[in-house]
Amino acid sequence: MTAKFPLTRRAALGGASALAGMSALAQTGQRAAAQTAQPKKGGTLTFIQNSEPQTLVALTTVATPALTVSAKVTEGLLEYDYDINPRPALAIEWTISPDGKRYAFKLRPNVKFHDGKPFTSADVAYSIQLLKTVHPRGRNTFANVTEVKTPDPLTAIIELSKPAPYLIKALTAAEAPMMPRHIYEGTDPLANQNGNAPIGTGPYRFKEWARGSHIVYERNPDYWQPDLPRVDRIVFKILPDTGARSIAFENGSGDLGYRTPVALADLDRLKKVPHLVFETKGTSYSYNVSCLQFNLDSQYFKHLKVRQAVAHAIDRALLIKTVAYGYGTVCYSPIAPGLKAFHDPTPSPYKLDLKKAESLLDEAGFPRGDNKIRFKVPLDYNPIGDESRRASEFLRAALGRIGIGVEVRAQDSSAFVKRIYTDRAFDFTYNGHSNLFDPTVGVQRIYWSKNFKKGVPFSNGSHYENPKVDALLEGAAVEIDPAKRKEMFFEFQRIVAQEIPDVPLYSPLYLTIKNKRVHDESLTADGVEANLAQVWLDA
């Protein structure tokens, strides 16, 4: 059957506060759209980057800094509209067999990598197998791939052992980048220098990376779409300081940033700046859940009663109000409310109850000492968002009320990933997980015991193991009956709600901020994580 336009639905945000914010932002976006004129060519787009990426290619990581920069150079087979309907990119046609186990792609002719080598089906086959091996989510996404056939240079056929109903939605540039086989073959992909100076097929070519300062991409004059890109260069300015980012947007030295690139406390003030526009377009490809994630090998959190006590001590609504300034929706599940087809809205069995928390800690063998402290433990937070530190301080105060002494421990993104996923030298962490468009792709990796793999970032960091959960996740990954698949995910949610390898807290509402001179930056479901080929600037 032909599968160019599979039926999907627009994912919706939940929560009154989020909807209220959406209304005002939509009006702002409509006014900006009404002023859009004929696209112009030339100029430099300055993208404000919260933190420095570990790599410029989203092959071995799903960390946001890498997702931001990757797709401008390294493209995917498909792109997606706001409703997650696929559109041509490096593939121009595709079909799916009736049994869902064969995906055939016709590739775009005359596409070249930046070094002049042709892009062919051999690169697709190599990339799929590479993603299956080293990509944190690719281990799930491509788990059923048995072979990628290449009958000719412009045809790639993905053969599966079992159906993968989510696969046709998983082929964006940032999620499934098509890599140059001739650059990677015979090397360690984790150490390959292409991550530092990438070669791809994209609209921009890598120019330079000044560590700690900026990354520069320049227009690819040989891009397969001759009229694109429209801007001459993109400069990713790395500004870890929240105040500096706000200033950059205010004074016009920063043009674009996403995932709410400023302190939430600054938003009301910045919304009054006449040259700034705030949008929520381009966020339907990925919803997030912020959570408190336990290391189940920890001497403290290996005890269920200790984890239950922690869950009983947290007021989610207050956290959203004080930490997220209302830009979020309470979430009790690892599956975000935006994924309405799969999200179970049932409240946590561990409601706010400090007396119950105290009792559970006593039962677990951790009584209060002479100093009223039961035990002390470090809390590491993912530094990707500015609210992470504030949320960690909130959690420190909350757990202090039940006698758990928390030391909030800060580090940069690289050190955080190494501590949590390689060294496993942590007790618990405030973290965020992208659900993407389907739980098999975005959620399974966090709870699937087979995805406990040291060194792979944003995998099963808790070291959670439950054979029933494994069976449900693996079953849902191949089930083509939507009703049966939904029930599998609901049962999964019921189990992890009881066992709490982590405590889901809320689903953030992310904003894109741009100077009003910037146009056409969020034309797909993944917004500015896409290739920015069509973005253009007023003089």
Side-chain angles (χ1 to χ4, degrees), residues 16 49 71 116 154 184 204 239 267 287 338 348 390 439 484:
Q49 188 90 339
L154 295 180
Y184 277 86
Y204 300 95
L239 295 177
L267 282 175
Y287 294 99
S348 168
R390 289 171 46 81
K484 292 180 180 179

Side-chain angles (χ1 to χ4, degrees), residues 129-164:
Q129 295 297 342
L130 195 58
L131 289 161
K132 180 179 178 179
T133 304
V134 302
H135 189 272
R137 290 191 286 253
R139 289 171 54 80
N140 297 359
T141 305
F142 302 106
N144 299 330
V145 174
T146 57
E147 183 182 9
V148 182
K149 296 179 179 178
T150 56
D152 62 68
L154 295 180
T155 304
I157 302 171
I158 302 176
E159 300 280 0
L160 305 173
S161 58
K162 300 175 182 177

Side-chain angles (χ1 to χ4, degrees), residues 183-199:
I183 298 292
Y184 277 86
E185 195 166 34
T187 73
D188 176 1
L190 296 174
N192 193 291
Q193 288 304 302
N194 193 66
N196 298 323
I199 291 172

Side-chain angles (χ1 to χ4, degrees), residues 97-366:
S97 63
D99 63 2
K101 295 195 291 186
R102 184 178 185 271
Y103 289 67
F105 295 91
K106 184 70 174 178
L107 304 183
R108 189 177 297 277
N110 304 315
V111 175
K112 295 183 182 296
F113 287 103
H114 298 157
D115 60 359
K117 300 288 187 181
F119 168 73
T120 71
S121 57
D123 298 295
V124 176
Y126 184 78
S127 297
I128 296 298
Q129 295 297 342
L130 195 58
L131 289 161
K132 180 179 178 179
T133 304
V134 302
H135 189 272
R137 290 191 286 253
R139 289 171 54 80
N140 297 359
T141 305
F142 302 106
N144 299 330
V145 174
T146 57
E147 183 182 9
V148 182
K149 296 179 179 178
T150 56
D152 62 68
L154 295 180
T155 304
I157 302 171
I158 302 176
E159 300 280 0
L160 305 173
S161 58
K162 300 175 182 177
Y166 50 86
L167 184 60
I168 196 62
K169 303 177 185 179
L171 301 174
T172 63
E175 184 64 20
M178 293 294 102
M179 310 305 298
R181 176 181 177 179
H182 63 283
I183 298 292
Y184 277 86
E185 195 166 34
T187 73
D188 176 1
L190 296 174
N192 193 291
Q193 288 304 302
N194 193 66
N196 298 323
I199 291 172
T201 61
Y204 300 95
R205 291 180 173 180
F206 170 78
K207 175 66 175 177
E208 69 174 9
W209 183 359
R211 304 280 176 156
S213 175
H214 61 268
I215 303 159
V216 179
Y217 291 162
E218 293 188 336
R219 186 180 189 274
N220 176 14
D222 302 316
Y223 189 48
W224 52 262
Q225 195 163 349
D227 293 336
L228 299 177
R230 291 176 174 140
V231 299
D232 293 330
R233 67 189 60 82
I234 301 177
V235 176
F236 294 89
K237 186 181 293 185
I238 301 164
L239 295 177
D241 181 73
T242 56
R245 293 199 293 273
S246 291
I247 291 171
F249 284 111
E250 283 185 283
N251 66 21
S253 61
D255 291 315
L256 181 64
Y258 89 132
R259 292 173 68 96
T260 317
V262 300
L264 296 174
D266 285 349
L267 282 175
D268 284 346
R269 175 173 57 83
L270 292 175
K271 286 178 182 179
K272 298 175 183 176
V273 177
H275 66 258
L276 294 181
V277 177
F278 298 78
E279 293 184 337
T280 56
K281 291 190 304 180
T283 59
S284 55
Y285 196 72
S286 178
Y287 294 99
N288 280 49
V289 174
S290 295
C291 66
L292 186 61
Q293 184 177 28
F294 300 109
N295 180 353
L296 300 182
D297 299 319
S298 161
Q299 61 178 315
Y300 305 113
F301 299 121
K302 66 182 179 181
H303 300 287
L304 175 60
K305 289 184 178 180
V306 174
R307 303 197 303 273
Q308 291 172 331
V310 170
H312 277 303
I314 300 172
D315 186 336
R316 290 172 173 82
L318 183 60
L319 185 150
I320 292 174
K321 180 180 179 180
T322 58
V323 172
Y325 290 82
Y327 289 91
T329 303
V330 167
C331 186
Y332 305 103
S333 165
I335 299 179
L339 294 179
K340 286 192 171 182
F342 307 110
H343 172 73
D344 182 356
T346 304
S348 168
Y350 310 112
K351 65 181 180 180
L352 181 64
D353 188 337
L354 298 184
K355 289 185 178 180
K356 182 64 175 176
E358 296 266 14
S359 175
L360 285 165
L361 288 169
D362 289 338
E363 293 173 17
F366 296 102

Side-chain angles (χ1 to χ4, degrees), residues 447-449 463-472 495-496 499:
Y447 304 91
W448 190 31
S449 69
H463 196 185
Y464 177 60
E465 296 181 83
N466 183 314
K468 177 64 173 177
V469 164
D470 285 349
L472 288 167
I495 293 173
V496 297
E499 297 190 343

